[in-house]
Amino acid sequence: MTGEMIGLPLRESKALEINAWLYQNAGKEYRYVILDDEDFFFPKQQDHLILTDEFYGLTDRKGQKAILFLNK
């Protein structure tokens, strides 16, 4: 069930869905990035956010940043 199904705005439901997926699927040690053009995420998710441009999407520079983050 998505957040929109329970009446939450999409921007809030994305943060909840990420939390739910991590809780159900991630092990103790994991790295992740959030690629999005909005920055409405929980404080603990902000360190994992790579903000993209709504018109250009994922640029090479942002893609490299994501790769470097995941390879730490």
Side-chain angles (χ1 to χ4, degrees):
M1 177 179 339
T2 67
E4 284 188 295
M5 294 171 143
I6 58 175
L8 291 173
L10 177 60
R11 56 189 278 172
E12 292 177 10
S13 68
K14 287 191 286 186
L16 291 172
E17 288 181 49
I18 290 168
N19 269 0
W21 191 94
L22 290 171
Y23 179 78
Q24 293 174 358
N25 298 289
K28 288 186 177 190
E29 297 290 325
Y30 61 88
R31 293 185 185 105
Y32 70 97
V33 293
I34 300 169
L35 302 169
D36 207 302
D37 63 351
E38 293 183 332
D39 65 352
F40 188 82
F41 291 94
F42 297 129
K44 68 180 182 177
Q45 295 171 331
Q46 289 292 326
D47 291 340
H48 300 269
L49 176 63
I50 296 179
L51 198 58
T52 60
D53 183 277
E54 66 180 288
F55 297 107
Y56 297 109
L58 181 63
T59 62
D60 287 340
R61 184 175 179 190
K62 299 282 177 128
Q64 287 299 317
K65 184 177 178 180
I67 291 167
L68 290 172
F69 185 85
L70 292 171
N71 285 326
K72 283 185 186 176

